Amino acid sequence: MRDVSRLAGVSQMTVSRVLADPDLVSEATRLRVMKAIEQLGYVPDRVAGSLSSRRTNFVTAILPTLTNSNFADTAQGLAEALRPADYQLLIGYTMYKLAEEERIIRAMLSRRPDAIVVAGMVHTKPASEMLLRAGIPIVEIWDVPDKPIDHAVGFSNFEVGRAAARHLLSLGHRRIGAIGSRTDGEAIDLRGESRLAGFASVLREAGIGDELIVREGTAPVSHDHGAQTISILLERAPDVEAVFAVSDISAFGALMECHRRGIKVPADLSLMGFGDFDIARQCVPAITTIRVDAAQIGRLTGEMLVRLFNEEGGAADLQPSTIDVGFTLVPRQTTAPAVLEAGLS
Amino acid sequence: MRDVSRLAGVSQMTVSRVLADPDLVSEATRLRVMKAIEQLGYVPDRVAGSLSSRRTNFVTAILPTLTNSNFADTAQGLAEALRPADYQLLIGYTMYKLAEEERIIRAMLSRRPDAIVVAGMVHTKPASEMLLRAGIPIVEIWDVPDKPIDHAVGFSNFEVGRAAARHLLSLGHRRIGAIGSRTDGEAIDLRGESRLAGFASVLREAGIGDELIVREGTAPVSHDHGAQTISILLERAPDVEAVFAVSDISAFGALMECHRRGIKVPADLSLMGFGDFDIARQCVPAITTIRVDAAQIGRLTGEMLVRLFNEEGGAADLQPSTIDVGFTLVPRQTTAPAVLEAGLS
DNA sequence: CCTGGCGCATCTACCGGTTCATTGGACAGG
DNA sequence: CCTGTCCAATGAACCGGTAGATGCGCCAGG
């Protein structure tokens, strides 16, 4: 930068101004500086700039994995919303592990991000404390927590489960099950578990037991996971009429397993998933699902942050806000009304 | 950090040592320092450290999108390989746009990464120059370029196309087509185009025209893209016997469209894709595809970089290396031998 | 004509670590 | 016992910018 300033015959500060706030510099000077920059192939060093200005223009996003298209969509939405404001996304993966989340938070904090976005609902105590003390905006996403740390953008996974159960009940089914993953100490998918809990709560209210809810394997779920868990369920209850999968990925795996076993969907079995993944819409039969706008969660989060950054110093960040983006049940071809008892089975 | 050093009764440098090179500090001093760190909740500032040491421990990855599970896998593999060496991944998305790639390279360079990984095969002139002058290792991935900028880890997309064509020919098909995306000035998917080019080259060698290769829409391809392009192809050539899709995503969309049209796969039409996405293995019928180990590309790249960083100053980075990870054709249920002319159609 | 006010560019002091040269002390050899 | 050598700990300079205060020149008002 010194070289540039010398070549342009101005002070170092003027060069800095040209880059940060071009309007404050007279036209002629600016052009001269720009030419010098071009000529030298000068690329400003934001590491130094960050140190000096105490703003890195980094936003950290901590997600379970990027191998799930929902989270990838969220990341993309977030990145797109932040880009115009010149913020760069720093992504960390927890692989659904709590301990890993803590490690990543610590590592990320040392990069001095201007905000942190976390997709985990639950955190270890040290993790929560670090976030609280960080002194920067924190946004929890993909759920609406009871006690948010700071801001939140998401929807109620519990209500998703309830909506799924009500849908299957309204079709007249009584032998109703669900498939999801276990939440042991290591791998944790609290959102999936919330959906199952909501699902179970409606079943109980309807006087139906929740014993057909199968929790097997660990997050992240896969197509294979769906195939395996539906097999377990079918073994346990061959007469099951309707099944809710915590994810479309599982639902698709389950659907294909039904194909292989000659079980007709939805004639013999109603099946629904969650997430409205591409695959749910495209496959035959198309899978009934619950849609959440993953990219929208990212975008709203990004826009919220940009607003916070601009108002910085204003009173706005004293009031943490929670945005519920809601969800939509999308009936498709894998769910159908129950047949009468006199039916085939 | 000053506070920590005072509390522990040592100099600032000793604290720095404890964090960077614990072995150089005596046991007692180290424990005292650690306690002080804990007590104050001190989190080191790597921005300052990076400025001073001229190493940021950032590696930039520039990918077309993360919404494609192949690239997400690569990113994950890369992140995992870099994590033990304490390098953090900085991800940028180009959305298959050349201009965007240049913008992102410029933005990333100002973050002073220790290496850059690029998934684009082709770059604008300024982009190439910036990469060349960056003075850090550059790794081009997802193809084996003729003239690599520096290092490369990938496979030959051209050969993938050739292998696909040979497979379909070996099954006895003659009316052979393919579906992919257009490469107009804005959106560019050179890898997909390479596959189509390889595919076409084999068709021509076999004396078959390449007029059934449909290029429609822009990258990234989607399930819908597959459905639409196969429709165009079927209209143009209802008697087409075998189709290669540049991606499993397209192949699956095409497969479902065939379902809807009552076209039996593989009895009426052989279909194959590329990428060995989860969906190709799980769907019914399972899709014949060409497998590349996306995560492995990421891992190998990461390991190569870690090696380079460690040897830094050694002679090793004078010799740019190219790793070809190859690919595998995975025959499944969507391709079958051609029926004789006397057959149904 | 002199002085105060204003705008643009400059000057100086850091930001929070790390590097490197220096210093003090311990040990061994003369 | 004194001195030279080597190691470990220390202190000062610096990484490349930015914030905030200062200086300078021009214009308007007294």
Side-chain angles (χ1 to χ4, degrees):
Chain A
M1 179 154 148
R2 199 188 319 278
D3 300 338
V4 173
S5 64
R6 268 187 221 139
L7 181 59
V10 297
S11 84
Q12 204 171 322
M13 259 322 294
T14 308
V15 178
S16 173
R17 276 263 177 56
V18 170
L19 272 71
D21 226 331
D23 301 335
L24 293 181
V25 180
S26 69
E27 181 77 9
T29 315
R30 202 186 52 201
L31 286 178
R32 206 148 29 98
V33 172
M34 294 298 269
K35 208 179 115 197
I37 287 176
E38 187 70 25
Q39 207 167 324
L40 293 174
Y42 165 73
V43 179
D45 186 330
R46 303 197 64 172
V47 177
S50 297
L51 175 60
S52 182
S53 67
R54 296 123 159 302
R55 288 182 311 107
T56 52
N57 275 37
F58 276 130
V59 169
T60 290
I62 299 176
L63 305 170
T65 167
L66 271 184
T67 300
N68 172 307
S69 76
N70 268 333
F71 293 123
D73 285 344
T74 297
Q76 195 128 333
L78 185 53
E80 271 159 27
L82 293 174
R83 176 169 304 177
D86 192 33
Y87 282 83
Q88 165 71 37
L89 204 52
L90 262 181
I91 300 177
Y93 316 76
T94 68
M95 290 309 296
Y96 293 95
K97 307 256 174 55
L98 266 188
E100 192 63 5
E101 186 190 74
E102 183 181 328
R103 207 192 61 74
I104 290 176
I105 290 177
R106 190 184 310 278
M108 288 298 192
L109 279 178
S110 72
R111 301 288 192 178
R112 296 288 185 267
D114 293 339
I116 296 187
V117 177
V118 211
M121 285 176 59
V122 71
H123 318 286
T124 65
K125 213 183 327 174
S128 300
E129 277 176 17
M130 281 192 286
L131 291 177
L132 273 169
R133 291 183 183 177
I136 52 178
I138 310 291
V139 188
E140 290 170 285
I141 60 173
W142 273 90
D143 209 313
V144 284
D146 298 332
K147 284 194 68 62
I149 296 180
D150 192 7
H151 306 275
V153 178
F155 58 92
S156 166
N157 284 281
F158 190 82
E159 286 303 325
V160 164
R162 290 183 62 85
R166 279 197 300 267
H167 177 62
L168 296 179
L169 279 172
S170 74
L171 292 171
H173 298 294
R174 303 291 294 173
R175 287 291 279 170
I176 300 178
I179 54 180
S181 64
R182 265 203 318 274
T183 64
D184 49 13
E186 269 280 281
I188 294 221
D189 176 15
L190 256 297
R191 282 176 300 275
E193 185 51 38
S194 272
R195 297 195 281 275
L196 289 183
F199 191 80
S201 73
V202 169
L203 290 193
R204 281 195 303 271
E205 286 164 25
I208 301 179
D210 56 4
E211 68 277 358
L212 294 190
I213 295 182
V214 174
R215 292 178 176 83
E216 269 300 318
T218 56
V221 298
S222 60
H223 290 155
D224 284 334
H225 171 269
Q228 283 160 24
T229 47
I230 194 86
S231 299
I232 293 172
L233 178 57
L234 286 169
E235 224 156 277
R236 194 184 298 177
D239 60 337
V240 63
E241 300 166 11
V243 174
F244 168 55
V246 286
S247 162
D248 283 349
I249 311 281
S250 294
F252 181 78
L255 177 62
M256 292 301 123
E257 181 64 22
C258 288
H259 264 243
R260 283 187 285 267
R261 289 171 177 249
I263 297 171
K264 291 193 187 61
V265 176
D268 302 338
L269 181 72
S270 277
L271 193 60
M272 63 180 295
F274 165 79
D276 193 22
F277 286 57
D278 229 21
I279 197 177
R281 187 163 38 80
Q282 271 296 331
C283 78
V284 178
I287 300 173
T288 295
T289 191
I290 287 173
R291 169 173 174 66
V292 292
D293 195 334
Q296 179 72 355
I297 291 178
R299 270 193 304 274
L300 288 175
T301 304
E303 287 162 13
M304 174 192 278
L305 288 176
V306 171
R307 233 176 298 128
L308 286 174
F309 294 145
N310 289 339
E311 286 169 350
E312 188 187 7
D317 57 334
L318 296 178
Q319 31 184 346
S321 52
T322 292
I323 300 179
D324 189 332
V325 300
F327 56 86
T328 325
L329 196 145
V330 186
R332 294 209 180 100
Q333 299 157 9
T334 56
T335 47
V339 291
L340 297 181
E341 291 280 326
L344 190 56
S345 165
Chain B
M1 179 154 148
R2 201 189 317 278
D3 300 338
V4 173
S5 64
R6 270 189 219 137
L7 181 59
V10 298
S11 83
Q12 203 171 322
M13 260 321 296
T14 310
V15 178
S16 173
R17 277 263 178 56
V18 170
L19 273 71
D21 227 332
D23 301 333
L24 292 182
V25 181
S26 70
E27 182 75 10
T29 315
R30 202 186 50 200
L31 286 177
R32 205 147 30 97
V33 172
M34 294 297 270
K35 208 179 113 198
I37 288 176
E38 188 70 23
Q39 205 167 325
L40 292 174
Y42 165 75
V43 179
D45 187 329
R46 303 197 63 172
V47 178
S50 296
L51 175 60
S52 182
S53 67
R54 294 123 160 303
R55 288 182 311 108
T56 53
N57 276 35
F58 276 130
V59 169
T60 290
I62 298 175
L63 305 170
T65 167
L66 271 185
T67 299
N68 173 308
S69 75
N70 268 334
F71 293 123
D73 285 343
T74 297
Q76 195 129 332
L78 185 53
E80 271 159 27
L82 292 175
R83 175 169 303 176
D86 193 33
Y87 282 83
Q88 165 71 38
L89 205 52
L90 262 181
I91 301 178
Y93 316 75
T94 67
M95 290 309 296
Y96 293 94
K97 307 255 173 56
L98 265 188
E100 192 64 5
E101 185 190 77
E102 183 181 328
R103 206 191 61 72
I104 290 176
I105 290 177
R106 191 183 310 278
M108 289 298 193
L109 279 178
S110 73
R111 302 287 192 179
R112 297 287 186 268
D114 292 339
I116 295 186
V117 177
V118 212
M121 286 176 58
V122 72
H123 318 286
T124 64
K125 213 183 327 174
S128 300
E129 277 176 17
M130 281 192 286
L131 290 177
L132 273 169
R133 291 184 184 176
I136 52 178
I138 309 291
V139 188
E140 290 170 284
I141 59 172
W142 274 91
D143 209 313
V144 284
D146 297 332
K147 283 193 69 60
I149 296 179
D150 191 5
H151 307 276
V153 178
F155 58 93
S156 167
N157 284 281
F158 190 82
E159 287 302 327
V160 164
R162 290 183 62 84
R166 279 197 301 266
H167 177 62
L168 297 179
L169 280 172
S170 74
L171 292 171
H173 298 294
R174 302 292 293 173
R175 288 291 281 170
I176 298 178
I179 54 180
S181 64
R182 265 204 317 276
T183 64
D184 48 13
E186 269 281 280
I188 292 220
D189 175 15
L190 256 299
R191 282 177 299 275
E193 184 52 37
S194 273
R195 297 196 281 276
L196 289 183
F199 191 80
S201 73
V202 168
L203 290 193
R204 281 194 303 272
E205 285 163 27
I208 302 178
D210 55 6
E211 67 276 359
L212 294 190
I213 296 182
V214 174
R215 292 178 177 84
E216 268 301 317
T218 56
V221 298
S222 60
H223 289 156
D224 284 333
H225 171 270
Q228 284 160 23
T229 48
I230 195 87
S231 299
I232 293 172
L233 177 57
L234 286 169
E235 222 156 279
R236 194 185 296 177
D239 60 337
V240 62
E241 299 166 11
V243 174
F244 168 55
V246 286
S247 162
D248 283 348
I249 312 282
S250 293
F252 180 79
L255 177 62
M256 292 300 122
E257 181 64 23
C258 289
H259 265 242
R260 283 188 286 267
R261 289 171 177 250
I263 296 171
K264 292 195 188 58
V265 176
D268 301 338
L269 181 72
S270 277
L271 194 59
M272 63 180 295
F274 164 79
D276 194 22
F277 287 56
D278 228 21
I279 197 177
R281 187 164 38 82
Q282 270 296 331
C283 77
V284 178
I287 301 173
T288 296
T289 190
I290 287 172
R291 168 171 174 68
V292 292
D293 195 335
Q296 178 72 355
I297 291 178
R299 270 193 304 274
L300 288 175
T301 304
E303 287 162 12
M304 175 191 278
L305 287 176
V306 171
R307 231 176 299 129
L308 286 174
F309 295 144
N310 290 337
E311 286 168 350
E312 187 187 8
D317 58 334
L318 296 177
Q319 31 184 345
S321 53
T322 292
I323 300 179
D324 189 332
V325 299
F327 56 84
T328 325
L329 196 146
V330 185
R332 293 208 181 101
Q333 299 158 9
T334 56
T335 47
V339 290
L340 296 180
E341 290 281 325
L344 190 56
S345 166

